[in-house]
Amino acid sequence: MLTFPLQAHLPFASRLVLGCMGFGGGWNQDSLAAADIDRAAAALDAALEAGITVLDHADIYTFGKAEQAFGALFRRQPSLRERVVLQSKCGIRFADASAPKRYDLSGAHIERSVESSLARLHTDRLDLLLLHRPDPLMHPAEVAEVCQRLHQAGKVRFFGVSNMHAAQMQGLSQHLGLPLVANQLEMSLLRLDWLEADVTFNDPQGAASPGAAAWPGTLAHCQGAGIQLQAWGALAQGRFSGRASADATPAQARAAALVSAIAQREGVAPEAVPLAWLMRHPAQIQPVIGTADPARIRACAQAAGWTLSREDWYALFEAARGRELP
């Protein structure tokens, strides 16, 4: 059985990632409640039972309460920490009294963010730290220095990025001295520019996909360098797997109908089909599922148990893009 890129560094990483943005209660300043911890516990139990071991956090999720909720679980049952791959992200700062929303990949902020995440998560290490968004004011050498310090202290085992293209990764890698092992990007049946960049190259259809312009080389770079591609927004908020959407285009409606037909034919939950579509790509994309519902977690986990055919993959691609390939 083929391993996927992240397993080269973290052998018991799972093919799916549990996204933790929706945990910890609302995006407000309310305190973490016992019900929020119980909700995280139920979701984590379902995930582990389904073979999902990777947890995706960020310092900003529900203003830190998502990390606090899982930290409470690790405090309650320390052995849980050894059963999961724990990743978090840093670099986004919300508007406050002193400044607007901004990105901050200064060395001081990265270090402060990691220390705060470790405290909230009640752990001594992150398995993986992702730089959440490209910061135009980032100094690669400064980032490299703080990452080396965190790594040598045992506080972060591996590093990656999020929402960066190939040239940004290459520029950072020249300074880092440590491998970048993951890049988390928006990829789904709704967000197709990562594919359009390749299939419409040297064809007039490329003019209709302006979002694809930033993508050439990114997938190839990640594949060649053994960088794990993680897909955020993988289920497109359920618009292809059962959630009615008033703004759905005719193409999206046809793709949703095809997802339903494939799911019925294969005996899997509808959620498994868009995830299996991503996982069928030779880059071995690792979808992030953003749900706290145990039943939906189990439904998504079915994607890891079967392989979408080449014919179904292309049928879904054509349906979602709304026209025949060049």
Side-chain angles (χ1 to χ4, degrees), residues 249-320:
T249 65
Q252 292 166 9
R254 287 192 292 273
L258 183 55
V259 165
S260 178
I262 293 172
Q264 186 172 12
R265 186 189 73 216
E266 299 293 332
V268 297
E271 290 89 345
V273 178
L275 300 177
W277 182 80
L278 286 167
M279 295 163 70
R280 181 67 170 78
H281 192 278
Q284 300 188 77
I285 296 165
Q286 191 182 31
V288 180
I289 58 170
T291 180
D293 180 356
R296 198 156 184 245
I297 290 170
R298 288 189 286 269
C300 290
Q302 294 177 15
W306 65 295
T307 301
L308 195 68
S309 72
R310 176 179 285 264
E311 291 73 22
D312 283 339
W313 190 92
Y314 272 103
L316 285 166
F317 184 26
E318 182 184 80

Side-chain angles (χ1 to χ4, degrees), residues 73-84:
L73 298 182
F74 299 146
R75 186 181 298 110
R76 180 190 301 171
Q77 189 178 344
S79 62
L80 280 176
R81 175 63 187 91
E82 305 308 317
R83 298 176 61 193
V84 300

Side-chain angles (χ1 to χ4, degrees), residues 71-109:
L73 298 182
F74 299 146
R75 186 181 298 110
R76 180 190 301 171
Q77 189 178 344
S79 62
L80 280 176
R81 175 63 187 91
E82 305 308 317
R83 298 176 61 193
V84 300
V85 172
L86 194 56
Q87 70 178 42
S88 195
K89 300 183 288 292
C90 71
I92 296 176
R93 299 182 70 177
F94 292 130
D96 53 32
S98 64
K101 181 181 179 180
R102 66 274 195 197
Y103 304 140
D104 190 345
L105 293 180
S106 64
H109 181 73

Side-chain angles (χ1 to χ4, degrees), residues 111 130 181 199 255 287 321:
E111 191 159 22
L130 306 183
V181 305
V199 301
R321 72 192 303 266

